[in-house]
Each structure stands twice: as structure tokens, then as C-alpha cells.
Amino acid sequence: MSAFAGLLSARAIPAELAEHFAVALDAPGLEQPRHWSDLGLHFTHRLRITAPEDRQDHQPAIRNDAPLVLVFDGYLINRIELIDALALPREARGWADSAIAFEAMARWGASGPERMLGDFALAVWDFADRSLLLARDAVGQRPLYYHEGDGLFAFATNPAALLAVPGIDRELDEDHLVALLSDLPVADNGTPYKHLRLLPAGSVAIFRSGQLKQRFYWTSEQRTELRLPR
């Protein structure tokens, strides 16, 4: 898996944050980190090359003709359908999945994730309305954690990257740990840390003007009881 992390802060971004993210996201097989920063905003991405098109992957993804910055982890299994629906050029068949996801988010906005099939987690900053969007695939194969509070909003594909952010408390959630060890149900957004949350599978969260709003775009089908004739 690739890895990414980011921070949206009302205060200045610490100069050492990029290096902290790079180290916390490190894992065997990952490429060197790539960073992108703006006033009060920072993204870090570490790529894992698993397919030929990944060699064309350049993240964080940003273009002059679209007011977005995107980081993406995962793969899409409906690449061809998305390319056709977006009317992309033929050469798009050789693009990285993140490039196709970028086009989907530029065209469909917050509805983009529900058009994608595969295993993925993504984050998109929209310059136009100053919003940050997080999304996970329908069944939650790729994790995406976040922290909200104290004038900052941080997200990452692993908890270690969030705990590397100055000001985020490492306090453990004992109730969550007890439930895990006892094989009891836990909240779908719970983590072993009190101040970290896991974005639920099949959901989109948008952070805008200091407020976080979340919605599910997919839930497991509700089936009625099957009654056999005999």
C-alpha cells in the first residue's frame, strides 16, 4: 500500500512536520516521500509501485486547470468505466489510478468516491471552497484516520503519522482496548487512541469552516429473511 498524511492548521505548519510524516509513513517498498504545502496546509505522500502505471504516479497530485490537491492510496477496478464516463483520452488507460481519481473528483466532487470501485482511501483539498474531503472504499480495505481539535485537522493512513503531529495527545482509549481484547463490538470509528478516529468504510467526510460533516455513500444491503417452502 502507498501511504499519505496531511495537516490543516489555523497556525503555522511546523517546519519539521514533513520529515516527521516521512518517517512515520515509512515501510518496506515505499518510494521517497513527496510533499506539498500551502498556508496552513501540508500533504505528504509515499508511493508503492505495484503496477506499470504506478510509475506515472506523481502525488500529491495538483494541476493548474483544476483547483484540487489529491493524495490517494489503493487501486480502482473500474478504470475503463471511469475513463469512458469521464470522456478521457485513450492514453488515460496508461494513467495511474490516482490520476483517474483526480479526474473523477474534479468532475463529480463529493459524489466522486461513490462512482469508484476498488480498494482506496483518499483526501482532496478544494481551493475553491476551502474544504478538505476524506473518503474510503465501500468495504474499508484501506484505512484512513483523522484527528479534529485544537485548531487543527489531521489525517493519515496510519496512526503513527498522526501521533507525530505536535499537539495531538497520545492518550489511550482503555474502553476500546478492553472491547478489542474481549472480542466485543467497537464503534465503527473507534481507535486505540482517545483523540484519533477511523473514517468508517463507505463514507465521505468534509471539513469546512471548522466543521466536519460525514455521510455514508454505501451500506451493506438489507436483506429480508429467506423462507424456504420446506
Side-chain angles (χ1 to χ4, degrees):
M1 295 190 299
S2 297
F4 63 76
L7 175 66
L8 176 63
S9 176
R11 299 182 289 273
I13 300 292
E16 66 277 10
L17 181 67
E19 180 61 24
H20 288 175
F21 275 164
V23 171
L25 294 173
D26 193 21
L30 293 182
E31 300 294 302
Q32 289 298 307
R34 293 171 59 95
H35 309 284
W36 176 88
S37 294
D38 196 11
L39 184 63
L41 186 63
H42 178 87
F43 284 10
T44 292
H45 185 271
R46 299 199 68 164
L47 175 68
R48 185 185 302 278
I49 297 176
T50 58
E53 56 267 19
D54 290 339
R55 299 189 182 280
Q56 311 301 319
D57 199 343
H58 302 287
Q59 297 186 58
I62 183 169
R63 287 207 323 253
N64 293 331
D65 62 339
L68 306 178
V69 182
L70 173 141
V71 282
F72 178 92
D73 167 39
Y75 64 91
L76 301 172
I77 62 175
N78 66 331
R79 288 170 50 93
I80 302 303
E81 291 87 344
L82 289 171
I83 288 170
D84 291 343
L86 292 162
L88 299 178
R90 184 174 182 81
E91 56 266 28
R93 292 177 179 241
W95 291 1
D97 287 335
S98 64
I100 298 172
F102 188 101
E103 296 291 342
M105 298 304 299
R107 173 76 65 84
W108 298 312
S111 299
E114 60 196 74
R115 306 285 292 264
M116 303 178 197
L117 298 179
D119 296 348
F120 64 85
L122 62 83
V124 180
W125 172 253
D126 189 330
F127 287 99
D129 64 0
R130 307 290 296 175
S131 67
L132 178 69
L133 179 145
L134 308 179
R136 287 179 73 200
D137 63 82
V139 294
Q141 290 297 308
R142 303 296 171 111
L144 186 52
Y145 301 88
Y146 66 90
H147 166 85
E148 179 187 9
D150 302 324
L152 60 84
F153 185 89
F155 59 89
T157 50
N158 72 36
L162 292 181
L163 297 176
V165 176
I168 294 185
D169 197 317
R170 294 170 171 261
E171 183 181 2
L172 295 174
D173 186 336
E174 295 182 358
D175 291 339
H176 184 88
L177 291 170
V178 168
L180 284 177
L181 294 172
S182 304
D183 199 23
L184 296 173
V186 296
D188 60 359
N189 70 338
T191 77
Y193 298 93
K194 274 192 174 182
H195 302 283
L196 305 187
R197 290 291 176 263
L198 176 66
L199 185 70
S203 70
V204 168
I206 298 177
F207 186 75
R208 181 190 294 116
S209 301
Q211 294 187 330
L212 182 68
K213 294 185 178 180
Q214 179 191 312
R215 67 174 178 85
F216 286 92
Y217 66 84
W218 185 90
T219 56
S220 58
E221 184 180 359
Q222 299 297 314
R223 296 182 179 272
T224 57
E225 183 179 0
L226 176 63
R227 293 184 176 273
L228 302 176
R230 60 185 176 86

